[in-house]
Amino acid sequence: MKVEQVLDNLKRRFPNESEYHQAVEEVLHSIEDVYNAHPEFEKQNIIERICIPERIFSFRITWVDDKGNVNTNMAYRIQHNNAIGPYKGGMRFHSSVSPSILKFLAFEQTFKNALTTLPMGGAKGGSDFNPKGKSNAEVMRFCQAFMLELWHHIGPETDVPAGDIGVGGREIGFLYGMYKKLARENTGTFTGKGLEFGGSLIRPEATGYGNIYFLMNMLNRKGITDLKGQVVAISGSGNVATYTAEKVLELGGKVITLSDSNGYIYDEAGIDSEKLAYVFELKNVYRGRLKEYADKYNCKYVEGGRPWAEACTIALPSATQNELNGDDAEILIKNGCMAVSEGANMPSTPEAIEVFLKNKILYGPGKAANAGGVSVSGLEMSQNSMKISWSKEEVDAKLKGIMASIHQSCVQYGTEPDGFVNYVNGANIAGFMKVAKAMMAQGVL
Ligand code: NDP
């Protein structure tokens, strides 16, 4: 396999899909040597089969808004690979959603899910519907229209969706409710459900908590056992960012930033638990903007900016893809940042990753560091099929164990001769090997 040849071929066949090309390129560079050491992979053309989604559904959704206008949106479900288990991955509702973005997410999800130790294939879905500013009734009608089309293609052993940007507990409730009505079964074909109807304790917290558990595994190797004295910059203020901040505070760190798509806040005094409780309320109850935090607590607010120029020792990008570029990475390093762990999917550009690796700081790529969310989704599926619920402590302990195991896989596959752990290579190679071996065992499909 020659990386450039495979990439050129994919770019020719699937033009104008830059995010998808970016995600594939990173993985191909990591696995090139390992792949070429296994001629049996090449013989079965594993590389193309692992890069190209097995199936893509795309459909138009029609829904009626509160004024009686009829609206249309595009929606998709990418079933990328089911070699190791049912398709599994979130749904994103955001105006930027495109086949390229969902293909990159489904591709990454396949390797991430392989790392979790649980039997889950990779998928992703969503729509260019923007829930911001919509009433609850509008969101419900949209979700119901979405499910009317998708329900045929998902199921507890087939494909189990979850949340992502713009899809939280409210949306999952509406989507799952309609699915259940149409499918006439009650086996939990969605994760991130409410606790009253099959959801798992710790699922909302899992991605953020999991990222901090992964970070602590990286820091432990340097002899650091808590976050006391650490200054932490976080981007985003949604599900992942807020629970990340909660865990940082619990471990003694100081959180200085959060962001949304309008700008970021820099709170020099630190975003403590009381202020964080306000952010939870602002985001989940009032669906407001972070500017209101700046007004309330009289702190710095930077319109349209990203928080990476604020001096920190740890950076946790937790908003969206390509939100941290090479220049941002240089500034972080210059200001003394020693660890970056990704809550979001592909938040760092290839140039930023190069800077982190060149400077040999601790860098946990999203594929490994944010796998806690889907891991607890996997645990939700287990609880649903066993018809039991585990306690908060039980789920949290399993989450910690899974993050430690993911970290160990990265160390196993990513340690370089000088002892530096390249977590990008580690995660990509470990995930790839598991999926590739499963595909080989199951024949040409
Ligand atoms: P939410 O919708 O809860 O929050 C997203 C946050 O990021 C919001 O603060 C949002 O601001 C901001 N944001 C979204 N898009 C942009 C953009 N284009 N530019 C700037 N800011 C933006 O989503 P999640 O917290 O669930 O997801 C965040 C990231 O984590 C995503 O990359 C997602 O794929 C990843 N992830 C999520 C998991 C989960 O369990 N939820 C699991 C693994 C990864 P605003 O409110 O203004 O839109």
Side-chain angles (χ1 to χ4, degrees), residues 92 94 105 112 124 132 163-166 203 207 236-241 259-262 283 289 318-320 343-345 370 373:
R92 178 175 290 193
H94 193 269
L105 288 164
K112 180 189 308 189
K124 204 81 189 187
K132 264 187 229 129
D164 191 76
I165 291 177
R203 177 60 189 93
T207 310
S237 49
N239 170 271
V240 178
S259 71
D260 60 25
S261 49
N262 296 98
K283 288 282 152 177
R289 315 305 303 156
S318 308
T320 193
N345 284 309
N370 73 33

Side-chain angles (χ1 to χ4, degrees), residues 116-396:
T116 64
T117 72
L118 302 171
M120 298 181 288
K124 204 81 189 187
S127 170
D128 58 7
F129 172 77
N130 175 9
K132 264 187 229 129
K134 305 285 191 304
S135 70
N136 282 338
E138 288 173 326
V139 171
M140 181 182 75
R141 287 195 292 276
F142 173 80
C143 289
Q144 292 179 337
F146 193 123
M147 223 13 77
L148 203 51
E149 189 70 31
L150 190 66
W151 79 275
H152 299 280
H153 309 299
I154 62 175
E157 304 296 340
T158 318
D159 183 352
V160 183
D164 191 76
I165 291 177
V167 178
R170 174 182 63 170
E171 289 76 16
I172 297 285
F174 292 148
L175 290 163
Y176 181 60
M178 190 61 171
Y179 167 79
K180 226 157 40 65
K181 184 178 172 72
L182 294 164
R184 298 178 186 223
E185 55 96 341
N186 222 320
T187 48
T189 306
F190 256 94
T191 58
K193 299 184 292 294
L195 288 178
E196 305 79 7
F197 50 98
S200 174
L201 287 160
I202 302 282
R203 177 60 189 93
E205 295 89 341
T207 310
Y209 282 17
N211 188 19
I212 300 306
Y213 296 155
F214 191 85
L215 171 73
M216 292 315 302
N217 274 280
M218 293 199 293
L219 291 173
N220 284 343
R221 283 176 55 84
K222 304 272 171 200
I224 301 172
T225 54
D226 61 34
L227 295 178
K228 291 196 184 86
Q230 304 295 345
V231 178
V232 183
I234 301 178
S235 63
S237 49
N239 170 271
V240 178
T242 46
Y243 285 109
T244 300
E246 188 173 274
K247 194 49 98 179
V248 170
L249 294 180
E250 197 183 307
L251 295 181
K254 178 175 172 184
V255 177
I256 51 160
T257 68
L258 288 172
S259 71
D260 60 25
S261 49
N262 296 98
Y264 77 88
I265 49 166
Y266 170 68
D267 190 336
E268 198 181 357
I271 300 165
D272 59 19
S273 343
E274 194 186 310
K275 292 171 179 173
L276 188 60
Y278 171 71
V279 176
F280 275 111
E281 197 182 3
L282 183 68
K283 288 282 152 177
N284 299 319
V285 181
Y286 304 114
R287 299 189 186 271
R289 315 305 303 156
L290 274 183
K291 170 83 173 62
E292 294 165 55
Y293 176 106
D295 294 341
K296 184 174 165 73
Y297 294 109
N298 200 20
C299 76
K300 178 167 134 185
Y301 175 76
V302 180
E303 182 113 25
R306 302 188 293 201
W308 312 125
E310 305 297 347
C312 65
T313 56
I314 295 173
L316 305 170
S318 308
T320 193
Q321 64 276 354
N322 292 328
E323 56 163 319
L324 195 165
N325 63 25
D327 293 341
D328 298 324
E330 297 282 5
I331 294 170
L332 281 169
I333 303 280
K334 195 172 117 248
N335 285 339
C337 178
M338 52 101 174
V340 176
S341 199
E342 296 181 338
N345 284 309
M346 209 168 75
S348 306
T349 62
E351 295 75 26
I353 296 173
E354 213 180 301
V355 172
F356 298 146
L357 295 179
K358 195 179 74 197
N359 285 278
K360 301 207 169 197
I361 64 160
L362 295 174
Y363 168 60
K367 208 176 273 127
N370 73 33
V374 74
S375 300
V376 174
S377 277
L379 300 177
E380 183 174 331
M381 288 164 71
S382 307
Q383 292 170 82
N384 290 167
S385 48
M386 290 192 282
K387 311 239 181 280
I388 57 166
S389 341
W390 288 321
S391 69
K392 199 173 165 179
E393 291 72 26
E394 281 173 298
V395 180
D396 199 30

